[in-house]
Each structure stands twice: as structure tokens, then as C-alpha cells.
Amino acid sequence: MLWLVDRLNLLLTYAIGLLLAVMTIAVFTQVTVRFVLTAAGINISAAWTEEVARYVLIWIVFLGAGIGCRKRQLISLEFIVRALPALPGQGLVHAGLLLCLGFFGLLISVGLAFMELGAVETSPVMQIPKAWVYAAMPVGAALMILNTAALMTEALLDRRDIRSIGATAEGVE
């Protein structure tokens, strides 16, 4: 199971890279049209670029957060769990991750409700259903659940200190 999760994350990392390229092209196009061409006396509009950049960024954030859960790479305050002895510190991390799993489940529920609302709403410029944009929340939250469960499973099966997983900023891993 862990191998499949890691392969899925690898594919999603490439997808995020592609989405980042799309967003960069959209923003570059917008800047070029708005400032460079206008300064040259050419007045055209590229209203689609703002929507593309915004919607792609939303997907990047939710997919990236899902992947970040796998190695505990999301921002957190860890001075308390690191100050505690091994067993209580690990227990506190696991308890926090269980709370996160509940929150991610709530995000799925809320995201599905937003998708239902967005099914009848379209974006102003590109006229795409907003449900496609809102789908980023439940998809990302499902990835967060999958990756958090994989993280906890890996720590328990390998008998690793979960506090050290993903702690490369401090050189622990």
C-alpha cells in the first residue's frame, strides 16, 4: 500500500509541476498583455489568464498539501513534542494526526457541498462549471487522508519515531 501511495504522489508531483508551468504561462501572458503591449500602444485583453492562474493555483495548493502530509511537510509547531520523551511525544503527534484526519474528513464534506453549489455556477470569463474548481478541496482532502494514514502506518510498521519523519529542516532525518 505504501508503495502505491508513493507512486501516486510521484505522479501528482509531476502534475503539479505541469500545473505550475500553466500558471506561469498564464501570468506571463497577463503581464505581457497588460503592461508590455499596452505600453507599445496595442490594447487587447486576455481576461482568461487571471481565471486560469487562480484556478490552477487552487489545485496546486490542495494537491501539494495532500502530498505534504506524507512526510509531515506541512507547517507545524513542534517544540512541545520534541521536548517530551519519546513515547509521550510520539503519542501527541499521533493524536494530532488523528485530529487532522477528522478535519480532512470535514473538508471532504464541505468540498462536496461546494461542488454541488458550483454545479449550477460558471466562471465569468471561461464559462467552466465552478464545480471543477471546487473539486480541488475534496480531492486534496482525500489525498491528505490517504497520505496521513500512510505516514502513520509507515511509522508504526517500521517502529520509527514519527517526530523525525520529514524533519529535514533540522537535519533530523
Side-chain angles (χ1 to χ4, degrees), residues 21-45:
V22 168
M23 186 177 73
T24 301
I25 291 167
V27 170
F28 180 78
T29 302
Q30 177 70 347
V31 169
T32 302
V33 167
R34 184 173 287 180
F35 297 108
V36 177
L37 295 181
T38 302
I42 302 169
N43 293 317
I44 60 173
S45 175

Side-chain angles (χ1 to χ4, degrees), residues 1 49 52 58 68 71 87 100 117 119 126 132 160 165 168:
M1 175 187 129
T49 57
V52 167
I58 291 167
K71 297 289 182 186
L87 197 56
C100 286
L117 291 173
M126 296 188 307
W132 286 101
R160 288 180 62 190
I165 297 176
T168 54

Side-chain angles (χ1 to χ4, degrees), residues 38-150:
T38 302
I42 302 169
N43 293 317
I44 60 173
S45 175
W48 61 270
T49 57
E50 190 270 334
E51 276 188 12
V52 167
R54 181 185 320 139
Y55 298 157
V56 167
L57 178 61
I58 291 167
W59 273 95
I60 289 171
V61 166
F62 278 104
L63 293 176
I67 294 170
C69 287
R70 178 67 176 94
K71 297 289 182 186
R72 291 188 65 229
Q73 293 174 333
L74 300 182
I75 190 167
S76 64
L77 297 174
E78 298 195 359
F79 58 90
I80 294 175
V81 296
R82 293 204 182 273
L84 291 172
L87 197 56
Q90 291 178 55
L92 190 57
V93 171
H94 281 284
L97 290 174
L98 289 173
L99 284 173
C100 286
L101 286 172
F103 176 71
F104 300 152
L106 180 63
L107 281 180
I108 289 175
S109 174
V110 170
L112 291 173
F114 273 121
M115 284 181 65
E116 192 174 314
L117 291 173
V120 296
E121 185 181 357
T122 59
S123 66
V125 176
M126 296 188 307
Q127 296 298 306
I128 61 169
K130 286 280 190 93
W132 286 101
V133 179
Y134 296 142
M137 185 186 299
V139 169
L143 284 170
M144 290 178 215
I145 289 172
L146 178 68
N147 281 299
T148 300

